[in-house]
Amino acid sequence: MAQAATLNDAQIKRALRYCQSRRYVTRDSTILLFSIYTGLRAKELAALCVGDVYNEDGTVRPQFTLRAAQTKGARTRTVFVNAALTAQLLR
């Protein structure tokens, strides 16, 4: 099976610059960074709930678990949130 194409740094910067021209800058850039930093598919991103990513006190969870119904392979999966994504989610 072939490896999926990935974006290089220049392409990521260009995509983020494009997000800056959009009406919902924070939303669009957060979706892009979520995909890049966590490797989530569009279906997995769309299935996320606020409570999956944030604790009750509003802090960002360092990791969260995707339920089997949310994933492509119908298996639960732990997703780790790095510092750059945490900073974006706190905006």
Side-chain angles (χ1 to χ4, degrees):
M1 182 180 280
Q3 176 83 18
T6 58
L7 300 177
N8 62 36
D9 289 339
Q11 291 169 323
I12 292 169
K13 287 178 185 178
R14 188 171 37 192
L16 286 170
R17 276 195 310 273
Y18 176 74
C19 288
Q20 296 300 316
S21 71
R22 308 274 300 163
R23 181 174 182 182
Y24 301 104
V25 176
T26 303
R27 179 199 65 186
D28 294 348
S29 57
T30 300
I31 291 169
L32 177 65
L33 292 174
F34 230 116
S35 178
I36 290 168
Y37 290 137
T38 64
L40 295 179
R41 293 174 171 83
K43 172 189 172 183
E44 295 167 339
L45 284 169
L48 285 177
C49 297
V50 172
D52 293 337
V53 180
Y54 292 96
N55 291 313
E56 290 181 14
D57 62 356
T59 59
V60 177
R61 296 175 189 261
Q63 66 186 37
F64 59 91
T65 303
L66 291 175
R67 296 177 299 280
Q70 293 174 296
T71 64
K72 179 180 176 184
R75 294 187 193 137
T76 59
R77 181 163 68 112
T78 300
V79 177
F80 295 93
V81 180
N82 69 9
L85 183 56
T86 298
Q88 177 69 23
L89 291 170
L90 292 175
R91 288 184 175 187

